Amino acid sequence: MGRAEPARLGRRAWLVASARAGATVLLTSARGHAGPNPQPDQVALAASPRINVSLNESAYGPSPRVLQSLRVELHGLERYTGAEAGALARQIAELEGVAEEQVLLGEVLEPLGLQLGLEGGSGGEFLYSEPGYTALIDAARPVGGIALPVALNGRQENDLPAFAAKLNRRTRAVFLVNPHNPSGTVSDASELKAAVREFAKKTLVVVDEAYLDYLDDWQARSLVERVRAGENVIVFRTFSKLHGLAALPLGYAIAPRKLADTLRLRGLGSARSLNRLAVRAAAASLHDPAYLARVRAQVRVERTRYHGVLSDLKLRYSAAQASFVFFECARSQPELAAALAAEGIDIGRAFPPLLNWTRISIGLPAENQRVHAALRRALA
């Protein structure tokens, strides 16, 4: 036994060192430019001929500060997440103008949906826009939550009057995504805030703002002001989109203090449940607003180019303001997806019931040019 223990520790040390070295090589080879590059590496694109524009990932990757932070953190992989989580919560609280105790770290939509579905027994109704992002709804449904879809209006926006008409004593939560996914439309700020104020008098309102920071005036549009006002509203954000951290998924919710305390007691936002690298990466990204502004501006340029192509093709499209476009064409989405897949382009799934509408994520400029050409061939 006396000889076996040192040998085991030596092997463990070798494994840790090897993992660190490998990860360092990966980080060193990642994007190292100081901002989004309008002329992407053509060699890299040629080496990976397939283009994935299906999941709304940021083609520009994270801030260089994130990569620097991760290089440092690779020397602490044996440590659990601890004080870093509290530091990030304080950083977010300062940014959002709320108390630290109102910040819940983590990808909280699904556990929140589960909690709300269980609360008060089965039969609670959850209102959401269809088609739409349904993480919260899908988590509530298996434990007795009843999903009640609300069709988008003619502009492919959240239909706020229709939500108001369906609201009743059985409504356990209203789930709004703004900008909406998959349409990318943004509700009028004053109309949305007024509607949420009324909804919150009757039930909990959960607002997913995953793509709102793609807008220059996102802070003025945010529903966090309704949380600050003490209303029954939760606002969710993520670092997976504009911040380019989809491989290190982390989000956060801003909630009223009493509700945040209750959810925390039920296990949401626990530091031990968080990836330490994700926490450090998120903190570093928030420290580089100039980089985020450059990504935001480049995505806006590329989105405008997409809309120009769609106009040339005489296709109807939504007023998307996020990192993707949404448009209607004469053929079904699966047919168009198959045509583009044959050219090495993955645009993902359909969004029933809008089967003739297609969502395409915005990639790097050279990728977008290739998709534009493929769309012209498929839809001309």
Side-chain angles (χ1 to χ4, degrees):
M1 290 292 292
R3 293 181 181 275
E5 184 64 13
R8 184 180 67 81
L9 288 175
R11 180 174 182 273
R12 177 181 182 277
W14 178 83
L15 288 171
V16 170
S18 298
R20 285 174 177 164
T24 301
V25 170
L26 288 175
L27 283 173
T28 302
S29 64
R31 291 180 180 86
H33 49 73
N37 186 354
Q39 298 298 325
D41 187 347
Q42 302 297 332
V43 175
L45 289 179
S48 302
R50 297 200 66 83
I51 296 175
N52 189 325
V53 282
S54 65
L55 296 175
N56 301 341
E57 299 146 322
S58 173
Y60 297 100
S63 158
R65 292 194 182 192
V66 169
L67 303 182
Q68 294 167 6
S69 174
L70 291 179
R71 290 187 186 100
V72 173
E73 289 306 309
L74 289 174
H75 296 283
L77 295 182
E78 69 279 11
R79 302 295 181 186
Y80 291 113
T81 306
E84 302 88 357
L88 177 60
R90 288 189 292 275
Q91 187 179 2
I92 292 170
E94 183 176 356
L95 172 70
E96 301 286 4
V98 299
E100 178 185 344
E101 293 78 10
Q102 293 180 263
V103 179
L104 289 165
L105 295 178
E107 293 289 345
V108 302
L109 282 179
E110 290 179 346
L112 175 60
L114 179 63
Q115 294 286 348
L116 294 174
L118 291 168
E119 192 174 90
S122 63
E125 296 179 352
F126 293 78
L127 306 185
Y128 69 102
S129 290
E130 187 179 57
Y133 179 64
T134 57
L136 182 132
I137 308 300
D138 293 342
R141 202 186 326 244
V143 293
I146 299 174
L148 287 184
V150 178
L152 298 174
N153 65 21
R155 297 183 298 275
Q156 308 302 341
E157 299 168 346
N158 290 308
D159 193 332
L160 300 175
F163 270 95
K166 284 196 174 186
L167 198 62
N168 61 71
R169 60 182 179 80
R170 296 183 299 277
T171 306
R172 197 159 294 169
V174 170
F175 182 46
L176 295 169
V177 181
N178 186 56
H180 188 67
N181 183 13
S183 71
T185 56
V186 180
S187 299
D188 177 84
S190 59
E191 291 177 6
L192 179 62
K193 290 176 182 180
V196 167
R197 185 183 300 115
E198 293 304 311
F199 297 165
K201 293 176 182 178
K202 301 176 182 178
T203 191
L204 175 67
V205 182
V206 182
V207 185
D208 182 345
E209 296 183 347
Y211 300 96
L212 192 65
D213 48 7
Y214 276 99
L215 281 73
D216 290 333
D217 60 345
W218 66 273
Q219 289 177 305
R221 289 178 175 273
S222 174
L223 270 295
V224 169
E225 72 171 44
R226 303 269 48 92
V227 184
R228 295 191 204 104
E231 296 173 11
N232 197 20
V233 177
I234 295 180
V235 174
F236 173 76
R237 300 198 205 286
T238 181
F239 292 97
S240 295
K241 303 304 179 182
L242 177 68
H243 293 264
L245 294 174
L248 293 173
L250 181 66
Y252 64 91
I254 306 295
R257 174 64 186 273
K258 184 176 179 181
L259 178 57
D261 289 344
T262 299
L263 294 173
R264 196 171 282 109
L265 286 173
R266 294 176 180 174
L268 274 71
S270 166
R272 285 291 182 92
S273 70
L274 304 175
N275 182 315
R276 185 168 174 225
L277 295 180
V279 170
R280 287 294 201 187
S285 188
L286 288 176
H287 277 302
D288 197 354
Y291 177 83
L292 299 177
R294 291 195 293 275
V295 173
R296 184 183 298 121
Q298 186 64 45
V299 168
R300 182 170 59 248
V301 168
E302 293 301 311
R303 189 174 60 234
T304 300
R305 289 173 178 159
Y306 254 109
H307 286 162
V309 171
L310 297 175
S311 294
D312 288 346
L313 291 169
K314 296 180 170 53
L315 299 177
R316 179 186 173 203
Y317 56 89
S318 69
Q321 297 187 54
S323 58
F324 49 89
V325 294
F326 192 58
F327 60 94
E328 183 181 29
C329 55
R331 61 199 305 186
S332 71
Q333 193 278 346
E335 290 175 337
L336 178 59
L340 296 185
E343 298 202 36
I345 300 167
D346 178 12
I347 63 170
R349 64 183 180 89
F351 292 90
L354 301 181
L355 294 177
N356 284 355
W357 283 76
T358 299
R359 187 191 73 181
I360 298 182
S361 307
I362 294 170
L364 294 169
E367 294 173 323
N368 298 333
Q369 290 169 16
R370 184 170 151 190
V371 179
H372 296 169
L375 285 174
R376 292 183 188 278
R377 286 189 290 273
L379 300 175

